[in-house]
Amino acid sequence: MKKNKLALMAVIAMLVVAFFSLDLGRYFTLDFFRSQQAAIDAYVEANPAQAGLSFFLVYIAVTGLSLPGAAIMTLAGGAIFGLLWGTVIVSFASTMGATLAFLASRFLLRDWVQEKFDDKLKPFNDGIARDGAFYLFTLRLVPVFPFFVINLAMGLMPIRVRTFYWVSQIGMLAGTLVYVNAGTEIGRIDSLRGILSPPLIISFTLLGLFPLLAKWMVGTIKARKVYAMWPKPASFDRNLVVIGAGSAGLVAAYIAAAVKAEVTLIEKYKMGGDCLNTGCVPSKALIRSAKLLATMKRASEFGLKSAKAEFDFADVMERVQRVVKAVAPHDSIERYTRLGVECITGEAKITSPWTVEVKTAEGTRTLATRAIVIAAGARPFVPAIPGIDQIGCLTSDTVWDLRELPQRLVVLGGGPIGCELTQCFARLGSRVTQVEMLERIMIREDPELSEMVLRQFEKEGVDVLVKHKAKQLLVENGEKILICEHGGREVRVPFDALLCAVGRVAHTQGYGLEELGIPVTKMRTVEVNEFMQTIYPNIYACGDVAGPYQFTHTAAHTAWYSAVNALFGSVKKFRADFSVIPWATFTDPEIARVGLNETEAKEKGIAYEVTTYNIGDLDRAITDENAHGVVKVLTVPGKDRILGATIAGEHAGDLIIEFITAMRHGIGLNKILGTIHIYPTLVEANKYAAGVWKKAHAPEKLLRWIEKYHAWMRR
Ligand SMILES: Cc1cc2nc3c(=O)[nH]c(=O)nc-3n(C[C@H](O)[C@H](O)[C@H](O)COP(=O)(O)OP(=O)(O)OC[C@H]3O[C@@H](n4cnc5c(N)ncnc54)[C@H](O)[C@@H]3O)c2cc1C
């Protein structure tokens, strides 16, 4: 603990101990006050300002130190200064004292409590951050909550000092008035208990609950209002209709069927959506073939004289389709029907908050449902570069149809999809130029990791052009050319095929959002609240269509919240938790991340310590001829709390799991270090990173003493 904290704690402790050991509490009793009232009145008569100020300061000290006596002082305030001045003095003094106690608790204990009970406090923190003023107001009014406990507890929570002050002042006013008023007739009071009669306690409780009830009612009325123009069906034949059978829709339907709801899943194209058909599965299959080729080129490094690969690009692409077919049964109509999901192949359109129209080969059907989950996904974004319509471009939707390897390929975009496909095609034999308008590829990762991927790409013959903005596409003398702007000059890149991988945009048009007035965000995703609800509380959205992340695992994650809230929201709703989101880019080297990286920590002004371990030193990486890469962990300075981790290297996407689990369950590096990792594995890199951190935090002073102890033992 820092010195100034220790000093403050010591001062507070001394004052509290003095109060009790000198029995100062005897001055804060009704009897004592009554016995001294005549003398006090005389003093106040002679020195009104001084008396008022002294009373004010003593009141602040008593409440600021959380000492017993505030109730008696409030009565005394009424008796000495009358209703008006008594109320004014007590109201300000009690609020200032409460704020001092609040600040002391915050300064001394908040960091420690928040760190220790991080996970358990999260729901409280979220609630207070959102509705802290309402809760505090209720607590202040309902007399069962002791004054000093509220001050100290609120100091630990994420509520602003200003909010605490003004809500306390207003919230305590009614109670102050009652006590000060009672104090004006102090002679009639026998004990503190009688001051708040049961009807008064009930009135205060109702008053305290009123803001919460009012907030809930406004929310309910607002939610109802959106339904006003839509006739509600008398009954529903389904609990849930899910639009789109990609990663998100499949999970939503699966959950609904698992909990025995009647659920219909509508897919207009292919079951499995992007991930299975044009995304994760084909890309990872292609990466595997390309990697094998790249490994064969390194045959001599493994002690082999040579290894020659003869292949036909078309066969590689056919293998990719074979893999897709092999995985397809996991997402098939047959499997989902067996699970209890009604699967319909057709195009869905939401026609009211409770009806979905489906156009199928057989005709159009209208389904009545209690809730709807939109999981319509996203599509590749193709920028309006002049000439792109005439010349055409490949996207992640169409690249899988290629059966002839483009000799010269331009990949537009330096994000994960652009990078993965760049390396694949380069390894398969295309001359690839990757064009990125920002200053580096993989901009979301730390610069040295982007650099690591860039160096590997260049080693493999990729021409990476950063800070190049695509301006125009044209054909000159039968040759396709991309014109880029770079540092004010024109750069011309001839090519045979162009692959556009500059991002993906959510599907938000043509299936009823416009008619129902469901808004989209600036990022062009369906607008949802923390429960994944649209403005219609029974219509939810998840996966790529809702964002904020575009991964299969986040699609599944948000689908869980959508389905569970859609089916059980009237009993209990769950807020989507985006606190520990991992991802990986499957380039070679693979880059995987969870939580913060250094770049983000700097941008957000979050204090951090960074620990790195060089995978080049790891035994297993050396045996595998993969001795490169890094584990980089960010922790809270001086504390064993992980803020984020990034791993670059072979199987980084698998290795990162240990940090994801650690962050999700509040485990620190000490625990990772204390866990047996199998030798020799790549995952030992995590343990060694934890070891580097531990060494940097070795208790030097203690070790010097231990050294002396060993020296003494040798005598
Ligand atoms: C090349 C590439 C590689 C990728 N690699 C990875 C990876 O390695 N790891 C990872 O986590 N993510 C990866 N992703 C991202 C991942 O594929 C997506 O995040 C994920 O598929 C999103 O799932 P979804 O269910 O939200 O959408 P989708 O999978 O797009 O599913 C939406 C479905 O809704 C259907 N639909 C839309 N409108 C209607 C309608 N009106 N009626 C009926 N059906 C409709 C569509 O036909 C589609 O099938 C990759 C993406 C690409 C393009």
Side-chain angles (χ1 to χ4, degrees), residues 244 246-248 267-268 273-275 279-280 284 348 375-377 543-544 550-552:
S247 313
E267 171 55 55
K268 67 174 176 184
D274 259 2
C275 183
C280 333
K284 268 74 249 180
D544 282 8
Q550 290 185 330
F551 304 111
T552 288

Side-chain angles (χ1 to χ4, degrees), residues 337-418:
T337 308
R338 275 200 307 276
L339 288 168
V341 177
E342 181 194 23
C343 298
I344 301 180
T345 304
E347 183 160 1
K349 181 166 181 177
I350 307 172
T351 47
S352 86
W354 300 282
T355 50
V356 176
E357 193 181 87
V358 200
K359 263 195 215 141
T360 68
E362 292 80 39
T364 302
R365 291 172 62 185
T366 298
L367 316 175
T369 176
R370 184 162 274 286
I372 299 169
V373 168
I374 301 168
R379 62 172 184 281
F381 172 67
V382 177
I385 303 167
I388 203 161
D389 286 341
Q390 294 75 39
I391 292 178
C393 71
L394 296 163
T395 65
S396 60
D397 276 357
T398 56
V399 72
W400 312 110
D401 299 331
L402 279 183
R403 290 297 176 268
E404 217 172 287
L405 184 74
Q407 289 309 302
R408 294 170 303 173
L409 176 72
V410 166
V411 176
L412 217 53
I417 297 175

Side-chain angles (χ1 to χ4, degrees), residues 232-448:
K232 191 172 180 180
S235 67
F236 306 99
D237 38 26
R238 287 159 186 80
N239 301 95
L240 191 64
V241 164
V242 180
I243 300 176
S247 313
L250 288 168
V251 170
Y254 182 102
I255 290 167
V259 296
K260 307 295 176 201
E262 283 296 324
V263 53
T264 302
L265 177 63
I266 308 169
E267 171 55 55
K268 67 174 176 184
Y269 184 48
K270 288 183 181 172
M271 293 289 284
D274 259 2
C275 183
L276 171 64
N277 299 294
T278 54
C280 333
V281 174
S283 64
K284 268 74 249 180
L286 191 65
I287 286 170
R288 188 68 192 93
S289 296
K291 185 167 186 170
L292 179 61
L293 270 177
T295 311
M296 288 176 80
K297 282 191 188 142
R298 295 173 53 209
S300 63
E301 292 175 39
F302 293 85
L304 310 179
K305 284 217 164 32
S306 72
K308 194 165 162 241
E310 271 180 35
F311 75 98
D312 194 336
F313 176 73
D315 294 340
V316 173
M317 295 307 266
E318 284 304 325
R319 170 191 171 256
V320 169
Q321 288 313 311
R322 230 178 37 240
V323 171
V324 171
K325 276 202 192 84
V327 178
H330 303 167
D331 299 349
S332 65
I333 290 183
E334 294 71 26
R335 174 168 180 238
Y336 275 78
T337 308
R338 275 200 307 276
L339 288 168
V341 177
E342 181 194 23
C343 298
I344 301 180
T345 304
E347 183 160 1
K349 181 166 181 177
I350 307 172
T351 47
S352 86
W354 300 282
T355 50
V356 176
E357 193 181 87
V358 200
K359 263 195 215 141
T360 68
E362 292 80 39
T364 302
R365 291 172 62 185
T366 298
L367 316 175
T369 176
R370 184 162 274 286
I372 299 169
V373 168
I374 301 168
R379 62 172 184 281
F381 172 67
V382 177
I385 303 167
I388 203 161
D389 286 341
Q390 294 75 39
I391 292 178
C393 71
L394 296 163
T395 65
S396 60
D397 276 357
T398 56
V399 72
W400 312 110
D401 299 331
L402 279 183
R403 290 297 176 268
E404 217 172 287
L405 184 74
Q407 289 309 302
R408 294 170 303 173
L409 176 72
V410 166
V411 176
L412 217 53
I417 297 175
C419 284
E420 287 182 6
L421 292 174
T422 287
Q423 195 171 39
C424 279
F425 277 89
R427 288 179 162 187
L428 289 164
S430 289
R431 257 196 293 135
V432 183
T433 307
Q434 189 180 20
V435 177
E436 168 57 61
M437 71 177 185
L438 300 175
E439 68 267 23
R440 55 192 174 86
I441 56 171
M442 296 186 59
I443 195 79
R444 287 174 81 174
E445 308 305 342
D446 281 339
E448 75 274 22

Side-chain angles (χ1 to χ4, degrees), residues 49-68:
Q50 217 172 335
L53 185 65
S54 311
F55 182 88
F56 186 72
L57 293 176
V58 173
Y59 200 116
I60 292 178
V62 167
T63 47
L65 289 168
S66 304
L67 297 172

Side-chain angles (χ1 to χ4, degrees), residues 41-102:
D41 285 346
Y43 178 77
V44 173
E45 181 88 39
N47 311 284
Q50 217 172 335
L53 185 65
S54 311
F55 182 88
F56 186 72
L57 293 176
V58 173
Y59 200 116
I60 292 178
V62 167
T63 47
L65 289 168
S66 304
L67 297 172
I72 295 295
M73 283 203 75
T74 309
L75 289 172
I80 301 169
F81 303 106
L83 181 62
L84 176 66
W85 279 109
T87 306
V88 170
I89 294 171
V90 170
S91 172
F92 280 96
S94 60
T95 312
M96 286 181 191
T99 309
L100 280 182
F102 167 91

